[in-house]
């Protein structure tokens, strides 16, 4: 893609700091035993978030959340049901395109980056809530404001 550019160092650092501070805030509330796969996926999640790959961030955040909770669980400790439903529904709409009404368009990549960044930040907060369930509903609500 000829128009793809990496973010500036300043933008990358702002995103990295937000990610790390959000994780630290959740971790201070107490961690469950994070699964090996969830921890490994977090490395990629931080990379795609810092790069500004918003749809990939949503999809990986959902994978982290499900890896932590197990694929059979409908609810997760520390994650509000409405947040988990929102994340899964968004991931599913991204994964299973409706050609008459796509969830993400090329135009979105140019004109709706801030909306997709908000969605990505909320998805990251939900993933942290799954990893650090003691942060609970309080952390999830903070993500709604991000």
């Amino acid at each position: 893609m000829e128009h793809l550019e990496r973010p500036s160092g300043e933008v990358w650092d702002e995103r990295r700091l937000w990610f790390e501070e959000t994780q630290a805030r959740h971790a201070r509330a107490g961690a469950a035993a994070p699964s090996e796969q969830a921890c490994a996926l977090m490395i990629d999640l931080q990379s795609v978030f810092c790069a500004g790959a918003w749809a990939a961030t949503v999809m990986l955040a959902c994978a982290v959340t499900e890896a932590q909770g197990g694929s059979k669980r409908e609810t997760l400790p520390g994650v509000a049901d409405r947040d988990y439903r929102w994340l899964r529904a968004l991931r599913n709409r991204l994964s299973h395109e409706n050609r008459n009404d796509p969830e993400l368009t090329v135009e979105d990549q140019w004109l709706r980056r801030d909306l997709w960044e908000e969605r990505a930040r909320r998805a990251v907060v939900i993933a942290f809530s799954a990893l650090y369930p003691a942060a609970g509903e309080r952390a999830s609500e903070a993500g709604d404001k991000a």
Side-chain angles (χ1 to χ4, degrees):
M1 201 172 174
E2 69 182 82
H3 300 291
L4 186 62
E5 293 181 24
R6 79 179 88 169
S8 69
E10 183 178 297
V11 169
W12 182 282
D13 286 344
E14 180 277 321
R15 291 173 182 165
R16 181 184 55 79
L17 289 171
W18 178 87
F19 191 97
E20 291 172 355
E21 288 169 359
T22 302
Q23 182 174 22
R25 192 170 47 254
H26 281 78
R28 280 192 296 273
S35 75
E36 179 72 19
Q37 184 160 319
C39 289
L41 288 171
M42 289 300 295
I43 295 166
D44 278 356
L45 179 59
Q46 184 173 8
S47 294
V48 298
F49 178 82
C50 290
W54 306 132
T57 298
V58 168
M59 296 174 88
L60 270 172
C62 192
V64 167
T65 301
E66 290 181 343
Q68 182 61 16
S71 60
K72 303 286 185 209
R73 298 188 73 173
E74 288 300 316
T75 61
L76 292 161
V79 178
D81 289 341
R82 66 181 168 78
D83 288 337
Y84 187 44
R85 284 191 309 271
W86 172 85
L87 180 59
R88 288 186 65 195
L90 183 55
R91 185 271 321 265
N92 288 342
R93 289 191 308 272
L94 289 167
S95 298
H96 309 290
E97 180 185 10
N98 174 349
R99 290 195 174 230
N100 296 321
D101 186 24
E103 183 63 27
L104 178 67
T105 66
V106 174
E107 186 174 312
D108 289 342
Q109 292 287 19
W110 296 107
L111 302 177
R112 299 177 70 199
R113 301 282 302 154
D114 36 346
L115 169 68
W116 279 96
E117 181 176 358
E118 286 176 29
R119 290 175 175 174
R121 286 178 186 261
R122 182 176 179 194
V124 167
V125 169
I126 293 167
F128 286 141
S129 295
L131 285 173
Y132 308 107
E137 188 69 31
R138 177 176 45 84
S140 183
E141 290 170 4
D144 290 343
K145 298 173 187 165

